[in-house]
Amino acid sequence: MIRIAIIGAGRIGHVHARAIQGRNDVTLALVCDPFEQNARALAGEYDVRYCLDPDEVFDDSTIDAVVIGSPTQFHVDHILKAVNGGKRVMCEKPIALDVESAKRCINELGDRADQVMMGFNRRFDPTFSALKSRLDDGEIGSLQQLTVISRDPAAPSASYIAGSGGIFKDMTIHDFDMVRHFLGDIAEVNAVGTNVSPEIAEQGDFDQVIVTLKSRDGKLATIINSRTCAFGYDQRLEAFGADGMLSADNLTDAAVRMATSTQTDAKTAIMDFFLERYEDAYRIELETFLDSIAIGGAVSPSVRDGYEALVLADAATRSAQEHRVVAL
């Protein structure tokens, strides 16, 4: 029986706890959060121990694996302590707020970096995964262009924005990983940003961005982000190839469409919350991590992918601020 600890008893902690509960070969053994009310609530739901200090997790010899959902500024420290404590680790994105810290993490881990999983859950979304499989099977020939659209229903709080590292590291980071997942290594990044929110602008961040990327073998990608979207959580993907196109549209509660004298192909509203839209992706992601513990070997995506995505986020930030293409 694999004994797991969760660090961070917020929304993501609850999602991972539900996924753990669905397995009969693992058990949630410990919950850690510096806010006792949060830790007690999640631990009480599953009748397990809780603590307030992450070091208690790292020093506990009965814990086999750790899911890290702490604030980003603690990720590198928590990853290193957990691995050095003999735990298998999955960490939420991003790996760090700056490239130097991420690089230090990779260097200190060495070969062990291949066994530390990064929480890029969208790779495991059934719709996106099916599109990738069909592309790999050659249904549309060689990939030429990828378009990734990610828009949130509403912007997060000002306090969240202040500690997020900016839109490219907080929001677009998922899309950078998706582009690398499809295109491989990236050679050029060009980003532009603007604002419709004066509150976000006051913090020196963008809330509307478009990023174009070119891979080392000449494939192109476009990422479109917005912190606000009037019609819900807009999550779409389009792969354009030599022989055709594959696209993944937004999910709705029902597949029924309506046509009347005033509208055609009308659907129900798209999902309005990321945990609802990606519930299956989070579950499959955690199951993949848990399977890797039993099987051994390298995981994907690993913290190396987290580092590469952060490099792209850093390049996009420089590109948008300096109004230039950044070569990698």
Side-chain angles (χ1 to χ4, degrees):
M1 181 69 71
I2 300 171
R3 295 171 57 81
I4 298 181
I6 292 177
I7 299 177
R11 295 179 300 189
I12 297 298
H14 282 266
V15 171
H16 291 316
R18 286 197 296 272
I20 292 169
Q21 189 73 3
R23 302 264 302 214
N24 57 16
D25 58 342
V26 300
T27 184
L28 178 61
L30 181 61
V31 171
C32 179
D33 195 290
F35 297 100
E36 185 170 8
Q37 181 178 356
N38 294 345
R40 187 192 306 116
L42 181 56
E45 187 174 345
Y46 295 94
D47 193 26
V48 300
R49 291 186 298 125
Y50 72 87
C51 64
L52 310 183
D53 185 352
D55 284 339
E56 292 188 37
V57 175
F58 309 135
D59 294 339
D60 190 332
S61 61
T62 69
I63 299 299
D64 302 303
V66 182
V67 176
I68 298 173
S70 52
T72 303
Q73 64 264 35
F74 302 116
H75 282 182
V76 168
D77 181 52
H78 288 175
I79 289 170
L80 292 173
K81 285 185 175 181
V83 172
N84 289 334
K87 324 296 186 192
R88 291 295 298 269
V89 176
M90 185 179 82
C91 181
E92 288 296 333
K93 63 78 188 172
I95 184 175
L97 289 174
D98 62 274
V99 172
E100 292 74 21
S101 296
K103 190 171 186 177
R104 175 175 66 85
C105 182
I106 300 298
N107 289 340
E108 290 191 27
L109 288 171
D111 292 341
R112 298 175 298 176
D114 296 319
Q115 294 188 332
V116 178
M117 191 165 175
M118 200 78 229
F120 288 127
N121 66 294
R122 296 183 190 181
R123 289 197 188 195
F124 301 95
D125 175 72
T127 304
F128 296 161
S129 179
L131 190 152
K132 179 67 162 58
S133 294
R134 293 174 66 171
L135 175 67
D136 292 343
D137 288 341
E139 288 191 17
I140 60 169
S142 60
L143 179 65
Q144 297 175 349
Q145 300 174 1
L146 181 74
T147 302
V148 183
I149 298 174
S150 300
R151 298 185 177 108
D152 286 352
S157 66
S159 60
Y160 177 89
I161 293 287
S164 70
I167 189 170
F168 295 116
K169 295 177 182 178
D170 171 57
M171 182 177 177
T172 325
I173 197 80
H174 276 294
D175 306 314
F176 288 136
D177 179 69
M178 188 64 70
V179 168
R180 287 191 65 252
H181 187 45
F182 277 78
L183 268 62
D185 291 335
I186 302 301
E188 294 181 3
V189 178
N190 188 26
V192 294
T194 189
N195 292 93
V196 296
S197 168
E199 292 79 15
I200 294 178
E202 287 173 3
Q203 297 204 45
D205 195 13
F206 302 112
D207 53 74
Q208 312 286 316
V209 298
I210 294 177
V211 186
T212 57
L213 308 98
K214 184 169 75 172
S215 71
R216 296 204 180 279
D217 58 356
K219 297 181 178 67
L220 300 176
T222 303
I223 297 171
I224 301 172
N225 285 163
S226 174
R227 286 287 196 186
T228 57
C229 180
F231 54 87
Y233 192 47
D234 190 15
Q235 301 287 295
R236 288 175 283 154
L237 194 64
E238 177 188 287
F240 176 82
D243 301 326
M245 182 177 73
L246 293 165
S247 60
D249 205 353
N250 285 314
L251 300 184
T252 60
D253 290 332
V256 177
R257 302 184 183 189
M258 180 177 67
T260 69
S261 60
T262 59
Q263 55 189 340
T264 301
D265 279 348
K267 305 178 184 179
T268 56
I270 64 174
M271 295 179 179
D272 198 47
F273 190 43
F274 77 98
L275 291 181
E276 179 186 21
R277 168 62 181 83
Y278 288 116
E279 178 83 18
D280 285 343
Y282 281 112
R283 175 182 53 78
I284 297 168
E285 172 192 58
L286 187 66
E287 288 180 352
T288 302
F289 169 63
L290 297 175
D291 289 341
S292 76
I293 297 174
I295 298 171
V299 296
S300 180
S302 75
V303 289
R304 298 189 194 278
D305 296 295
Y307 170 77
E308 295 296 341
L310 190 63
V311 168
L312 296 182
D314 184 68
T317 301
R318 286 184 283 131
S319 174
Q321 292 175 344
E322 299 169 12
H323 307 287
R324 67 180 181 90
V325 176
V326 174
L328 300 174

